[in-house]
Amino acid sequence: MFRDGCIGVTVDVRAYRLSAVQKTAYRLAAKCTAIIGEVREHSLVVTLTFAPTTGEREALETARLFFQELLDQELREKVGEQTASLRALILAHAFSRTSLPPRG
């Protein structure tokens, strides 16, 4: 519900990490300010605050985009987690073939 220039959305922290919520808030910063509340049980309330010139239709569309972007960010987090060891191995191999001077 759009009231006083704000929309409150609830995020289930069993499905989405806080870091994904924060990245989503950053991505939508041009459209709104996301005020992230505290986790209570398994819920996190995020208040999307809009400029005074923002209409209800635009605010509701931004709230929809929030959840679309949140899913994208959560999937990025999972892929990053699942591929961390492979990326470390690739980097280690790449740097093992260089002749970097020793630090000291």
Side-chain angles (χ1 to χ4, degrees), residues 18-72:
L18 178 59
S19 59
V21 174
Q22 292 168 329
K23 290 174 184 177
T24 299
Y26 179 75
R27 293 281 301 218
L28 295 178
K31 296 180 177 287
C32 65
T33 299
I35 301 166
I36 301 171
E38 64 182 70
V39 176
R40 293 205 175 140
E41 295 189 21
H42 299 293
S43 296
L44 175 66
V45 175
V46 179
T47 304
L48 305 178
T49 305
F50 298 89
T53 56
T54 304
E56 182 174 11
R57 176 176 271 157
E58 184 180 352
L60 291 171
E61 175 61 14
T62 301
R64 186 191 71 75
L65 289 173
F66 178 87
F67 284 102
Q68 188 174 7
E69 181 66 29
L70 180 58
L71 178 59
D72 183 61

Side-chain angles (χ1 to χ4, degrees), residues 69-89:
E69 181 66 29
L70 180 58
L71 178 59
D72 183 61
Q73 292 299 329
E74 179 60 28
L75 291 174
R76 289 172 186 268
E77 294 275 324
K78 285 182 181 176
V79 168
E81 185 179 90
Q82 293 171 352
T83 60
S85 60
L86 179 60
R87 285 182 286 123
L89 179 64

